[in-house]
Short mmCIF file of all heavy atoms in Angstrom, two decimals:
data_model
loop_
_atom_site.label_atom_id
_atom_site.label_comp_id
_atom_site.label_asym_id
_atom_site.label_seq_id
_atom_site.Cartn_x
_atom_site.Cartn_y
_atom_site.Cartn_z
N MET A 1 -73.75 -164.64 254.50
CA MET A 1 -72.61 -165.08 255.40
C MET A 1 -71.85 -163.87 255.94
O MET A 1 -71.70 -163.66 257.15
CB MET A 1 -71.62 -165.97 254.50
CG MET A 1 -70.56 -166.65 255.36
SD MET A 1 -71.18 -168.10 256.41
CE MET A 1 -71.49 -169.33 255.26
N ARG A 2 -71.58 -162.99 255.02
CA ARG A 2 -70.83 -161.73 255.46
C ARG A 2 -71.75 -160.98 256.42
O ARG A 2 -71.28 -160.42 257.43
CB ARG A 2 -70.37 -160.85 254.18
CG ARG A 2 -69.32 -161.58 253.29
CD ARG A 2 -68.81 -160.69 252.43
NE ARG A 2 -69.79 -160.08 251.56
CZ ARG A 2 -70.23 -160.62 250.32
NH1 ARG A 2 -69.66 -161.79 249.87
NH2 ARG A 2 -71.06 -160.00 249.55
N ARG A 3 -72.99 -160.78 256.19
CA ARG A 3 -73.89 -159.96 256.81
C ARG A 3 -73.91 -160.36 258.16
O ARG A 3 -74.05 -159.66 259.15
CB ARG A 3 -75.39 -160.02 256.20
CG ARG A 3 -76.41 -159.24 256.85
CD ARG A 3 -76.23 -157.78 256.73
NE ARG A 3 -76.92 -157.02 257.79
CZ ARG A 3 -76.36 -156.70 258.91
NH1 ARG A 3 -75.07 -156.96 259.18
NH2 ARG A 3 -77.08 -156.08 259.92
N MET A 4 -74.10 -161.85 258.36
CA MET A 4 -74.29 -162.30 259.82
C MET A 4 -73.03 -162.16 260.58
O MET A 4 -73.07 -161.81 261.85
CB MET A 4 -74.67 -163.89 259.71
CG MET A 4 -76.12 -164.14 259.38
SD MET A 4 -77.26 -163.56 260.62
CE MET A 4 -78.81 -163.76 259.80
N ILE A 5 -71.86 -162.44 260.04
CA ILE A 5 -70.64 -162.21 260.74
C ILE A 5 -70.44 -160.75 261.11
O ILE A 5 -70.10 -160.41 262.27
CB ILE A 5 -69.43 -162.70 259.83
CG1 ILE A 5 -69.53 -164.31 259.65
CG2 ILE A 5 -68.12 -162.37 260.63
CD1 ILE A 5 -69.73 -165.13 260.83
N GLU A 6 -70.84 -159.78 260.17
CA GLU A 6 -70.69 -158.40 260.50
C GLU A 6 -71.69 -158.09 261.65
O GLU A 6 -71.30 -157.35 262.68
CB GLU A 6 -71.14 -157.50 259.38
CG GLU A 6 -70.18 -157.49 258.24
CD GLU A 6 -70.64 -156.97 256.92
OE1 GLU A 6 -71.79 -156.49 256.99
OE2 GLU A 6 -69.96 -157.00 255.95
N ALA A 7 -72.94 -158.56 261.60
CA ALA A 7 -73.90 -158.28 262.56
C ALA A 7 -73.44 -158.81 263.96
O ALA A 7 -73.53 -158.17 265.07
CB ALA A 7 -75.30 -158.88 262.32
N ALA A 8 -72.95 -159.99 264.02
CA ALA A 8 -72.41 -160.64 265.23
C ALA A 8 -71.23 -159.91 265.98
O ALA A 8 -71.02 -159.79 267.09
CB ALA A 8 -72.02 -162.13 265.12
N THR A 9 -70.42 -159.36 264.96
CA THR A 9 -69.25 -158.62 265.48
C THR A 9 -69.68 -157.24 265.93
O THR A 9 -69.26 -156.83 267.00
CB THR A 9 -68.20 -158.52 264.31
OG1 THR A 9 -67.94 -159.77 263.77
CG2 THR A 9 -66.94 -157.77 264.85
N GLU A 10 -70.59 -156.52 265.19
CA GLU A 10 -71.08 -155.24 265.51
C GLU A 10 -71.65 -155.26 266.87
O GLU A 10 -71.59 -154.39 267.70
CB GLU A 10 -71.90 -154.67 264.58
CG GLU A 10 -71.25 -154.28 263.19
CD GLU A 10 -72.39 -153.95 262.08
OE1 GLU A 10 -73.54 -153.93 262.45
OE2 GLU A 10 -71.96 -153.70 261.02
N THR A 11 -72.44 -156.32 267.26
CA THR A 11 -73.12 -156.36 268.51
C THR A 11 -72.47 -156.95 269.71
O THR A 11 -73.00 -157.20 270.67
CB THR A 11 -74.56 -157.05 268.23
OG1 THR A 11 -74.31 -158.37 267.72
CG2 THR A 11 -75.54 -156.31 267.36
N GLY A 12 -71.16 -157.41 269.35
CA GLY A 12 -70.37 -157.93 270.40
C GLY A 12 -70.57 -159.33 270.85
O GLY A 12 -69.99 -159.88 271.75
N VAL A 13 -71.39 -160.12 270.09
CA VAL A 13 -71.61 -161.59 270.51
C VAL A 13 -70.50 -162.37 269.73
O VAL A 13 -70.32 -163.63 270.27
CB VAL A 13 -72.99 -162.01 269.99
CG1 VAL A 13 -74.21 -161.27 270.66
CG2 VAL A 13 -73.13 -162.05 268.49
N LEU A 14 -69.71 -161.89 268.83
CA LEU A 14 -68.77 -162.68 268.21
C LEU A 14 -67.39 -162.09 268.46
O LEU A 14 -67.21 -161.00 267.98
CB LEU A 14 -69.01 -162.92 266.82
CG LEU A 14 -68.01 -163.62 265.97
CD1 LEU A 14 -67.90 -165.08 266.41
CD2 LEU A 14 -68.35 -163.55 264.39
N LYS A 15 -66.48 -162.81 269.05
CA LYS A 15 -65.12 -162.22 269.23
C LYS A 15 -64.11 -163.27 268.88
O LYS A 15 -64.35 -164.44 268.84
CB LYS A 15 -64.94 -161.98 270.84
CG LYS A 15 -65.90 -160.94 271.34
CD LYS A 15 -65.69 -160.58 272.80
CE LYS A 15 -66.47 -159.43 273.30
NZ LYS A 15 -67.85 -159.68 273.42
N GLY A 16 -62.96 -162.86 268.40
CA GLY A 16 -61.88 -163.79 268.06
C GLY A 16 -62.07 -164.52 266.86
O GLY A 16 -61.55 -165.57 266.59
N PHE A 17 -62.89 -164.01 265.86
CA PHE A 17 -63.09 -164.52 264.49
C PHE A 17 -61.82 -164.53 263.80
O PHE A 17 -61.21 -163.38 263.66
CB PHE A 17 -64.23 -164.03 263.76
CG PHE A 17 -64.66 -164.86 262.68
CD1 PHE A 17 -65.68 -165.77 262.78
CD2 PHE A 17 -64.24 -164.50 261.39
CE1 PHE A 17 -66.05 -166.62 261.66
CE2 PHE A 17 -64.62 -165.23 260.25
CZ PHE A 17 -65.59 -166.31 260.48
N PRO A 18 -61.34 -165.58 263.11
CA PRO A 18 -60.00 -165.48 262.51
C PRO A 18 -60.09 -164.42 261.35
O PRO A 18 -61.07 -164.10 260.80
CB PRO A 18 -59.88 -166.83 261.77
CG PRO A 18 -60.74 -167.77 262.66
CD PRO A 18 -61.83 -166.90 263.16
N PRO A 19 -58.94 -163.90 260.96
CA PRO A 19 -58.95 -162.84 259.93
C PRO A 19 -59.26 -163.37 258.57
O PRO A 19 -59.25 -164.65 258.26
CB PRO A 19 -57.39 -162.41 259.65
CG PRO A 19 -56.76 -163.01 260.93
CD PRO A 19 -57.50 -164.15 261.43
N VAL A 20 -60.03 -162.67 257.70
CA VAL A 20 -60.60 -163.21 256.43
C VAL A 20 -59.91 -162.39 255.47
O VAL A 20 -59.48 -161.24 255.51
CB VAL A 20 -62.14 -163.01 256.32
CG1 VAL A 20 -62.77 -163.83 257.46
CG2 VAL A 20 -62.46 -161.53 256.48
N VAL A 21 -59.90 -163.08 254.16
CA VAL A 21 -59.28 -162.56 252.88
C VAL A 21 -60.40 -162.23 251.97
O VAL A 21 -61.31 -162.98 251.82
CB VAL A 21 -58.39 -163.54 252.21
CG1 VAL A 21 -57.82 -163.10 250.92
CG2 VAL A 21 -57.19 -163.93 253.29
N PRO A 22 -60.27 -160.91 251.27
CA PRO A 22 -61.51 -160.62 250.36
C PRO A 22 -61.41 -161.61 249.24
O PRO A 22 -60.32 -162.11 248.88
CB PRO A 22 -61.01 -159.24 249.86
CG PRO A 22 -60.03 -158.76 250.94
CD PRO A 22 -59.39 -159.83 251.57
N PRO A 23 -62.42 -161.93 248.62
CA PRO A 23 -62.59 -162.92 247.53
C PRO A 23 -61.69 -162.52 246.35
O PRO A 23 -61.09 -163.41 245.72
CB PRO A 23 -64.12 -162.96 246.96
CG PRO A 23 -64.77 -162.40 248.30
CD PRO A 23 -63.92 -161.52 248.95
N GLU A 24 -61.45 -161.30 246.13
CA GLU A 24 -60.65 -160.95 245.02
C GLU A 24 -59.25 -161.13 245.03
O GLU A 24 -58.35 -161.28 244.12
CB GLU A 24 -60.86 -159.48 244.58
CG GLU A 24 -60.60 -158.47 245.70
CD GLU A 24 -61.85 -158.29 246.65
OE1 GLU A 24 -62.82 -158.93 246.43
OE2 GLU A 24 -61.89 -157.14 247.26
N GLU A 25 -58.73 -161.39 246.35
CA GLU A 25 -57.29 -161.70 246.73
C GLU A 25 -57.23 -163.25 246.69
O GLU A 25 -56.06 -163.64 246.67
CB GLU A 25 -56.88 -161.10 248.01
CG GLU A 25 -56.88 -159.48 248.01
CD GLU A 25 -56.46 -159.00 249.31
OE1 GLU A 25 -55.84 -159.69 250.18
OE2 GLU A 25 -56.66 -157.76 249.51
N ALA A 26 -58.30 -163.96 246.80
CA ALA A 26 -58.13 -165.50 247.05
C ALA A 26 -57.42 -166.23 245.93
O ALA A 26 -56.77 -167.12 246.18
CB ALA A 26 -59.56 -165.96 247.32
N SER A 27 -57.58 -165.76 244.67
CA SER A 27 -57.11 -166.33 243.55
C SER A 27 -55.65 -166.38 243.52
O SER A 27 -54.98 -167.05 242.81
CB SER A 27 -57.84 -165.71 242.35
OG SER A 27 -57.53 -164.37 242.25
N SER A 28 -54.96 -165.56 244.29
CA SER A 28 -53.51 -165.37 244.14
C SER A 28 -52.86 -166.31 245.24
O SER A 28 -51.69 -166.42 245.47
CB SER A 28 -53.07 -164.08 244.48
OG SER A 28 -53.48 -163.42 245.60
N ILE A 29 -53.75 -166.97 246.17
CA ILE A 29 -53.31 -167.80 247.25
C ILE A 29 -53.35 -169.24 246.74
O ILE A 29 -54.25 -169.72 246.12
CB ILE A 29 -54.18 -167.65 248.48
CG1 ILE A 29 -54.14 -166.07 249.00
CG2 ILE A 29 -53.73 -168.52 249.62
CD1 ILE A 29 -55.09 -165.85 250.06
N PRO A 30 -52.35 -170.03 246.91
CA PRO A 30 -52.28 -171.47 246.52
C PRO A 30 -53.50 -172.18 247.19
O PRO A 30 -53.82 -171.91 248.30
CB PRO A 30 -51.03 -172.08 247.22
CG PRO A 30 -50.10 -170.83 247.33
CD PRO A 30 -51.00 -169.64 247.59
N ARG A 31 -54.21 -172.93 246.31
CA ARG A 31 -55.54 -173.52 246.74
C ARG A 31 -55.55 -174.28 247.90
O ARG A 31 -56.42 -174.55 248.65
CB ARG A 31 -56.23 -174.29 245.57
CG ARG A 31 -55.40 -175.27 244.96
CD ARG A 31 -56.03 -175.76 243.51
NE ARG A 31 -57.54 -176.03 243.56
CZ ARG A 31 -58.35 -175.10 243.20
NH1 ARG A 31 -57.98 -174.01 242.65
NH2 ARG A 31 -59.75 -175.39 243.26
N GLU A 32 -54.27 -175.06 247.96
CA GLU A 32 -54.12 -175.88 249.27
C GLU A 32 -53.96 -175.10 250.64
O GLU A 32 -54.06 -175.52 251.75
CB GLU A 32 -52.86 -176.75 249.23
CG GLU A 32 -51.50 -176.19 249.08
CD GLU A 32 -51.09 -175.70 247.67
OE1 GLU A 32 -52.08 -175.84 246.74
OE2 GLU A 32 -49.94 -175.52 247.50
#
């Protein structure tokens, strides 16, 4: 999943993808 998004961004075919949070930070965010 990460590899495909990186490749699409690097080659300019994907623009405006929402910001992502690293998995290690996710546990501190309320699950809802």
Side-chain angles (χ1 to χ4, degrees):
M1 187 74 72
R2 294 193 302 273
R3 176 76 203 94
M4 283 292 171
I5 298 303
E6 285 167 8
T9 305
E10 286 170 13
T11 53
V13 299
L14 178 62
K15 295 180 175 68
F17 194 84
V20 297
V21 174
E24 55 272 18
E25 293 180 20
S27 55
S28 63
I29 297 171
R31 58 194 308 104
E32 63 272 14

